[in-house]
Structures are given as structure tokens and as C-alpha cells.
Amino acid sequence: MSPVPRVPWQAKYLALVLIWGSSFLLMKIGLESLSAVQIAALRLVTGAATILALLWMRGGSLPRERWVWGHLVVTGLLLGTIPFTLFALSETRVSSALAGIGNATTPIATVLATMAFLPGARATRSKVVAVVVGFVGVVTIMQPWTSSRPDLVGFGMALLGGVCYGIGWTYNRRFLARADLGGLSQPAATLLMGCLLMVPVTLAWGAFQPGGVASIWAYDRARLGTSTIEAGSDGGGWVWLPLLCILALGIVGTGAAYILQFDVVRGAGPVVGSTITYLIPIVSVLLGVLVLGEALGVWEVVGFVIVLTAAAVINAPARRVATPAPEVASAVPRT
């Protein structure tokens, strides 16, 4: 019999919304002194180290089957290496608020990926309509009819990051659902694989930098106070703030958050847990506006509301349950 949790799932749910919603703010601040590739690499390294330590403390172990690790290569790419890099890169061109909105497309991509990857899975008419409406919301945000539209490359990278999560979690459910990994074994293995796959990406990026491979651990303190952070003439006590933000993003937002994710789904079920997906961009927008002074245009706000509405419909519980509930590990996409 599982022990009664000391902290109710509602508190963990709120903590997850705040942690993952603030990840876009932390990345934006981190970009003051670190590159997007450095941020993705550091996030994966610290996140993997954190969850592996927790796994070891709980007496768990990593999977041993070769076929499991073969599929983990795919999930490591789609749930770690690619989206972490894309979201950081997107924030070099768009605001943290707009990048966070891109994450709201995850449930839309999940519906399409489910129809493609899961044999016998069928989406209800309302969910199909919601997918179409979600695309309308995305087009509204991109504003192709105006000259004041957001940077399409930057926003496109955020959208692609959300799509990676949707495809990655569906792939995980399709090919790893029968693997009896249990506990933290699967998330630890996924982050570890994402970390390993990030190594060649980071080395290739460093090879093309003016400073060579040494650029991988370079820290540009000279850029502090020039855009996002008000640090005075010499940076003062803000010098290490970008690095601390990314360490927090990796340790708390990428590593420890896995524990909260599993506890919420186990305590409240996958339907309630999945609603975190469309609350995350609300937090990212509020933090971007209130903390960083970012602003969204009228059409961006309208599109945001449309996308959130579509995501809410997609995450709504079905009237009739025809198939078993999703696996715990595939219920909640992350940032």
C-alpha cells in the first residue's frame, strides 16, 4: 500500500504551474550571459544529475533492456535535447511571453500525434474541431497580414518546441508503455539520454564559435544590464544571476519537477494533471509582462485566448471512457 503523501496533490499542482511557467522568464534572464545552446546543455546536465541522485537515494535503477534505450534515444531528443534548445533559441528573437504561448500548442500536437501513432486511437469531433481552432489561433498570433507581426522564425521555433513535446509523449506512450520502468527510472533515463545527445550538439556549436570549443564554458558578463536586467554600470551583484537562473531551471524546473509531475498524476489522475499544459503559458505571459516589462499586441492576445480555449477543449474529459487511462509517464508535457 502506498503511503499517504504529506503534501496534497493540489499544492504540488500549483507548484508545477509556477515552476514550469517561470521557465521562460529564467531562460530570458539566462540569455543575458549565456547562449541558447549553453542554456539547453546546462539545463539537461543539472536536471539529469538531480533526478539521477533522487533515483539513487530511493534505491531505484535505470532500465537495462536494449530495446528500451533504443526508444529512449527518440524520447530523449523529442522531450529534452530538441525542445530545450528550440525554446532557448526562440527567446533570442521573441519575448518570453510569446515563447511561452508557443508551448500551448503541445496538446494540439498530441492529438495529431495520437491519431498517427496509436493504433485504434480516435479523436472525438470536438477535439478535431479544437485542433483546427488552435491552428487559427496560431495564425492569428503570427499575423501574416500585418507588417508588425512577431519574428516568425523565433515564434516558429517555440511552436516547434511545443510540437516536439506532443510527439515525444505520444511516442513514449506508444513504444514504452509496456516497459515496467516504474518510479523515477523512466524520467531519469530520458533526461540522461537527452543530456548525452546534447553533447555532440554542444561540441558542434562550440567548434563554429570565434572562441572555439572554449566557448562552451564561456560566461559573458559584459552583456549584463544591457537589455533585460537593470544592473547598474558594472553589473554589481547581478553578475551571476543569469547562471543562477539556469541552475534553478535545471535543478528545480527540470529535475525535481519530475517528482511533482508523477505525484500529481498519481493523486488526481491524468485528466487533471494534463490541464497544467495550458496553465503554463498564462504564468509565462504574466511574468514576462510584470517582471520583464514585455508587451503583447492585440492580435497576439486574441490568438493566445483562441489557442488556450482549444487546448482546454482538447484536455476536457471524454463523456465515455473507451480506452484505459494514459500512462503516468505520458500524461503531462513539460517545458
Side-chain angles (χ1 to χ4, degrees), residues 200 266 299:
R266 287 167 178 151
W299 286 113

Side-chain angles (χ1 to χ4, degrees), residues 13-326:
Y13 180 98
L14 178 60
L16 271 178
V17 171
L18 296 176
I19 289 172
W20 284 333
S22 64
S23 63
F24 297 92
L25 169 67
L26 296 177
M27 282 187 283
K28 195 69 171 180
I29 296 177
L31 285 169
E32 292 293 335
S33 295
L34 296 165
S35 71
V37 173
Q38 286 176 304
I39 288 175
L42 188 57
R43 180 180 181 181
L44 279 166
V45 169
T46 53
T50 299
I51 200 166
L52 285 170
L54 292 171
L55 177 68
W56 176 77
M57 291 171 61
R58 293 189 173 192
S61 61
L62 293 172
R64 295 182 175 86
E65 298 86 351
R66 291 185 179 181
W67 70 268
V68 172
W69 284 100
H71 288 302
L72 284 171
V73 172
V74 179
T75 57
L77 280 172
L78 294 175
L79 299 179
T81 307
I82 297 177
F84 286 5
T85 304
L86 285 175
F87 278 120
L89 283 172
S90 72
E91 292 200 40
T92 65
R93 307 176 69 105
V94 299
S95 66
S96 66
L98 200 55
I101 292 175
N103 190 68
T105 60
T106 297
I108 299 174
T110 301
V111 170
L112 297 176
T114 297
M115 296 171 63
F117 293 156
L118 300 182
R122 294 182 299 175
T124 63
R125 182 178 301 178
S126 62
K127 293 186 186 296
V128 173
V129 172
V131 169
V132 176
V133 172
F135 280 117
V136 172
V138 170
V139 173
T140 303
I141 295 171
M142 298 175 74
Q143 307 168 57
W145 58 85
T146 69
S147 58
S148 58
R149 58 182 175 269
D151 186 288
L152 297 184
V153 174
F155 186 58
M157 287 189 289
L159 290 177
L160 188 55
V163 169
C164 284
Y165 285 143
I167 298 175
W169 284 114
T170 307
Y171 184 95
N172 182 85
R173 180 183 171 192
R174 171 67 176 84
F175 295 103
L176 290 173
R178 66 186 179 91
D180 186 19
L181 302 178
L184 296 176
S185 180
Q186 187 169 352
T190 301
L191 276 184
L192 176 60
M193 181 58 68
C195 183
L196 294 175
L197 293 170
M198 193 69 204
V199 172
V201 174
T202 306
L203 290 174
W205 169 83
F208 286 95
Q209 299 305 303
V213 178
S215 300
I216 294 174
W217 49 84
Y219 189 73
D220 190 359
R221 289 181 288 180
R223 292 162 52 190
L224 289 172
T226 60
S227 55
T228 303
I229 304 174
E230 296 295 335
S233 58
D234 60 354
W238 297 97
V239 167
W240 300 109
L241 180 60
L243 178 60
L244 293 175
C245 285
I246 302 307
L247 290 176
L249 176 61
I251 296 172
V252 179
T254 308
Y258 269 92
I259 305 296
L260 298 178
Q261 172 192 355
F262 276 66
D263 287 347
V264 167
V265 176
R266 287 167 178 151
V271 173
V272 174
S274 64
T275 60
I276 295 175
T277 303
Y278 59 91
L279 292 177
I280 290 172
I282 296 177
V283 176
S284 72
V285 168
L286 289 176
L287 289 177
V289 172
L290 297 177
V291 178
L292 300 179
E294 298 172 345
L296 293 175
V298 174
W299 286 113
E300 292 170 346
V301 174
V302 171
F304 181 30
V305 173
I306 294 174
V307 170
L308 283 184
T309 302
V313 172
I314 289 171
N315 279 282
R319 294 182 180 179
R320 296 181 181 179
V321 180
T323 57

